[in-house]
Amino acid sequence: HLYSPLETLVALRRLLARGSRLVFSVPNLQSYDRHLFGSLWIGWDAPRHLCLFEDSVLVRLMSRVGFEIVERRCALGGPGAFLLSLHTWAEARWGRQTRHSRVMHLIDRLVPFLIWPYKTFSYHQLRGPVITYVAQPLGG
């Protein structure tokens, strides 16, 4: 959601005291959902998501401005993100009326239970739809 992520990170680095932490979440380009849904993945979410970064690029960017990543975790997104991507896929395949169909309402109720193993595995592998980073100033 940032027009100038580099400038924002530089400003944040100046503001944070030694021992502070910066916590932020971004769509996970390495997520299994992204690979499953491709161009219909909800994480693209243009125009709100202006910049998306591969993990290695984000690590280099953070280092460049004086941060080190100390933790990564997938804990956000869940079945809601999966369902949004599924709805986008169904609409692209069968049209907008799909969103209001009885089948989609049934799927909306079942998906959270059906994808629990997938979600658990993907989160454990850091391949969930959203990844949260914890960073600290270098030397902090």
Side-chain angles (χ1 to χ4, degrees):
H1 304 257
L2 301 173
Y3 287 101
S4 303
L6 181 63
E7 291 173 17
T8 302
L9 288 170
V10 167
L12 287 169
R13 177 60 187 95
R14 276 194 304 259
L15 293 171
L16 289 178
R18 191 177 193 88
S20 307
R21 300 286 188 272
L22 173 64
V23 180
F24 60 97
S25 298
V26 295
N28 186 1
L29 288 176
Q30 287 81 24
S31 76
Y32 292 140
D33 287 11
R34 179 191 150 222
H35 295 288
L36 178 64
F37 293 107
S39 65
L40 301 174
W41 175 54
I42 198 64
W44 298 119
D45 198 17
R48 289 184 335 131
H49 294 157
L50 302 170
C51 303
L52 298 176
F53 301 97
E54 292 280 346
D55 182 73
S56 61
V57 172
L58 190 58
V59 169
R60 283 194 309 271
L61 176 66
M62 296 298 286
S63 177
R64 178 176 166 194
V65 298
F67 284 104
E68 65 178 325
I69 302 293
V70 294
E71 186 179 348
R72 291 172 184 80
R73 182 176 299 166
C74 289
L76 302 171
F82 187 90
L83 281 169
L84 286 169
S85 293
L86 184 62
H87 281 242
T88 303
W89 176 83
E91 285 180 11
R93 183 163 178 113
W94 296 302
R96 271 190 96 59
Q97 74 279 4
T98 306
R99 180 185 308 194
H100 305 291
S101 74
R102 287 183 180 184
V103 171
M104 286 309 286
H105 287 292
L106 178 61
I107 288 171
D108 287 351
R109 291 186 182 150
L110 291 176
V111 161
F113 301 104
L114 296 175
I115 70 165
W116 182 85
Y118 165 81
K119 184 183 104 169
T120 303
F121 179 76
S122 66
Y123 282 34
H124 181 70
Q125 298 294 312
L126 293 179
R127 298 292 191 255
V130 177
I131 189 163
T132 299
Y133 290 88
V134 178
Q136 67 184 15
L138 283 169

